Amino acid sequence: GAKVTAELRKQLFVALTRQEVGWHDLTDNASSTLCANLATDINSVQALTGEVLGRNVVTLCTLVLALTFAFVYGHWAIALVAIACVPILVSGLALEIARSLGFRGALAGMLGELAGTMVGEVVG
């Protein structure tokens, strides 16, 4: 994940420096906004390609193997009950994640924008 993140930051920086001068004069493309985007957007990509992705793959493989063993070595009715419980468990997990990210995500977004603004003021 770290190599992908570093390469994306490098490519984004190169793309930003190749823009015309007039592009940087737009209010949407202020240096503070660009610094904040450079810091926050790439971290989102790192979160998708890093530890979270690996954990999700392991969880999915565990679920598939558990259900396979339940059908092969266990009783088929119990396996069907387990399959029926999966959507309930997934929806509960999705609600918990959305609730926890709602607080942290909003705070991280505000802090990222504030840091980008400060860096832009110092540099500019």
Side-chain angles (χ1 to χ4, degrees):
K3 289 183 181 180
V4 172
T5 305
E7 183 63 28
L8 279 174
R9 283 192 178 152
K10 181 180 173 183
Q11 288 179 4
L12 180 59
F13 182 75
V14 168
L16 290 176
T17 56
R18 289 187 179 175
Q19 297 296 326
E20 294 180 13
V21 176
W23 184 82
H24 292 279
D25 291 337
L26 298 173
T27 56
D28 292 339
N29 302 327
S31 60
S32 60
T33 306
L34 296 177
C35 287
N37 289 342
L38 190 63
T40 57
D41 292 347
I42 303 300
N43 287 339
S44 301
V45 174
Q46 183 179 13
L48 292 174
T49 60
E51 183 180 328
V52 175
L53 180 63
R55 188 176 20 181
N56 289 342
V57 169
V58 168
T59 302
L60 182 64
C61 291
T62 303
L63 180 66
V64 169
L65 284 174
L67 291 176
T68 302
F69 283 140
F71 274 112
V72 173
Y73 298 112
H75 195 268
W76 62 270
I78 295 174
L80 289 178
V81 169
I83 290 174
C85 290
V86 169
I88 297 169
L89 295 172
V90 168
S91 62
L93 181 63
L95 286 173
E96 182 179 342
I97 290 172
R99 192 187 76 199
S100 67
L101 287 181
F103 298 122
R104 283 192 232 146
L107 181 62
M110 288 187 306
L111 291 176
E113 290 176 13
L114 178 63
T117 304
M118 292 173 71
V119 168
E121 289 175 0
V122 169
V123 172

